[in-house]
Amino acid sequence: VPNGVWVIVGLLNFIAYTLDGVDGKQARRTNSSTPLGELFDHGLDSWACVYFVVTVYSTFGRGSTGVSVFVLYLLLWVVLFSFILSHWEKYNTGILFLPWGYDISQVTISVVYIVTAIVGVEAWYAPFLFNFLYRDLFTAMIIACALTVTLPMSLYNFYKAYKNNTLKHHSVYEIMLPLVSPVLLFLLCTAWIFVSPTDILEVHPRLFYFMVGTAFANISCQLIVCQMSSTRCQPLNWMLLPIAVVLFVVTSGFAPTSETLLLYVLTAFLTLAHIHYGVVVVSQLSRHFNIRPFSLKK
């Protein structure tokens, strides 16, 4: 990869992070803040999670000094659950608290790209302290942010709402409802990895990650719509069904040589379905609020 590409990627990542942080302020400044903007903001963030994780770990590679595809899969889920946890919190408390772990990660990613342009990817392969590699440092940072910032703050804010009697839901089932689909998605995809006859994650890691990230984004977007409209979250997202069907076909031996094709078809189907969902929801919200997407004109 040419050094200039790393510079461009680093700058674009920082610009995207900056714009992601100021869009809400700009909307309030122009008196154009609506639930549609919130859906755009956090809905796109939910889909971007997979890109942030996979691209930054591409600098470390998959060799002895890199990251195995399964470890990266688990790290992706740490990030995804951290994301959904904040929206689970808002679903139950009505308040969205975004921990600063996200800010640290985005600045760090941008710096890594710029440094890579200067020193080359080979610099990340050498130990930085004793026998600890840079990939170990990044892994520790992701897990530490999730366990010491995101999870404690969400639980603390949930506890405060409980003590103040301001929770929007009171039964354990209703409280945990938004987490059912993400957990099932994790179980289905993890089961696929373990029973795959062609070792699908090893052969097509990026495609598998993207499939997981797309299904997760749809689950997140539907949760965001529920929390904005104060409606009940559905326990099962429909995208779990085609994933379960593919898993059944793979494990049953009906198509032992077509697993890669099934993954491609499934990913394309989920992607088109998620885009269609986004277009329909944006159109409906635009008509409801009598606004135009991407425009301040009424």
Side-chain angles (χ1 to χ4, degrees), residues 211-225:
M211 180 273 295
V212 172
T214 301
F216 174 84
N218 190 263
I219 293 172
S220 298
C221 286
Q222 295 199 29
L223 173 58
I224 293 169
V225 171

Side-chain angles (χ1 to χ4, degrees), residues 6-79:
W6 293 111
V7 174
I8 294 173
V9 171
L11 293 176
L12 289 177
N13 188 83
F14 185 78
I15 292 172
Y17 155 68
T18 303
L19 294 176
D20 186 34
V22 303
D23 55 356
K25 291 181 173 61
Q26 172 68 1
R28 288 185 287 274
R29 188 184 72 84
T30 57
N31 196 30
S32 58
S33 180
T34 66
L36 177 59
E38 181 180 354
L39 177 62
F40 255 113
D41 187 354
H42 301 298
L44 292 176
D45 285 346
S46 67
W47 210 358
C49 287
V50 64
Y51 298 105
F52 290 142
V53 178
V54 175
T55 52
V56 72
Y57 269 91
S58 294
T59 60
F60 304 120
R62 293 171 56 178
S64 59
T65 58
V67 182
S68 73
V69 291
F70 185 68
V71 169
L72 184 52
Y73 169 77
L74 295 178
L75 290 173
L76 172 61
W77 270 108
V78 171
V79 174

Side-chain angles (χ1 to χ4, degrees), residues 150-189:
T150 305
L151 179 60
M153 287 305 303
S154 290
L155 294 179
Y156 174 69
N157 291 331
F158 178 87
Y159 175 74
K160 283 200 306 182
Y162 169 76
K163 292 292 289 184
N164 296 331
N165 199 29
T166 57
L167 282 178
K168 302 178 70 174
H169 308 280
H170 299 283
S171 71
V172 175
Y173 176 74
E174 292 294 334
I175 288 171
M176 302 303 294
L177 208 53
L179 301 181
V180 173
S181 285
V183 170
L184 288 177
L185 177 63
F186 170 75
L187 293 176
L188 286 172
C189 294

